[in-house]
Amino acid sequence: MVGSVALPCGLPPGQQQFDMYGICTDNTYTSFLINPLSMNASTRAERIEIRATAELKAALEKAAQLQDQTLSAFVLNASRDAAARVLGDQTRFTLTEPQMKALNQALDAPARELPGLKRLFAKPSVFA
């Protein structure tokens, strides 16, 4: 991910792999990134109840069985991964190298003088 603004992947360059959402597939990075979403068994006290069709439940049970997981573990893992993608979409973005250079130049440039803003700050505050 050239010019990525996200936290770096824990793997060395050339070995880094990212999923279709730009999330590093290195488990160390992912667990660091989604630490609030970790599933420590000793802290899982909350319940989530959902309703599903018989067909969907059967499909989930089959998928869980194929992954050698309980239905609860399978659904929680899939939900946690989906939450990480959604939350990651709100906190990270990726730029190409030219876009990253342009962003850095804009951030490093001196501030423009805005006469209207200068006049506004010269007036007394309405909250004073």
Side-chain angles (χ1 to χ4, degrees):
M1 290 172 48
V2 174
S4 174
V5 179
L7 294 172
C9 184
L11 296 171
Q15 295 179 11
Q16 298 175 351
Q17 295 182 359
F18 299 89
D19 67 11
M20 62 187 270
Y21 300 98
I23 296 175
C24 180
T25 57
D26 172 35
N27 289 338
T28 304
Y29 170 78
T30 303
S31 60
F32 173 76
L33 175 69
I34 60 172
N35 189 25
L37 304 178
S38 66
M39 293 195 306
N40 185 338
S42 65
T43 61
R44 286 186 287 161
E46 300 298 319
R47 292 183 59 84
I48 300 173
E49 296 183 31
I50 56 175
R51 297 206 178 271
T53 63
E55 295 83 12
L56 177 57
K57 183 179 179 188
L60 291 171
E61 287 173 333
K62 181 66 175 172
Q65 181 184 24
L66 290 171
Q67 293 290 310
D68 200 24
Q69 295 179 347
T70 65
L71 177 60
S72 291
F74 180 80
V75 171
L76 278 174
N77 286 331
S79 299
R80 183 199 59 220
D81 293 347
R85 284 191 300 276
V86 169
L87 296 172
D89 288 345
Q90 300 299 313
T91 59
R92 299 184 335 228
F93 61 96
T94 301
L95 302 173
T96 64
E97 193 167 342
Q99 290 170 328
M100 189 68 168
K101 285 181 182 177
L103 175 63
N104 284 332
Q105 285 177 341
L107 292 172
D108 291 340
R112 295 181 302 166
E113 185 159 327
L114 302 171
L117 190 60
K118 196 172 193 174
R119 283 191 305 274
L120 178 66
F121 281 120
K123 293 180 181 179
S125 171
V126 296
F127 299 107

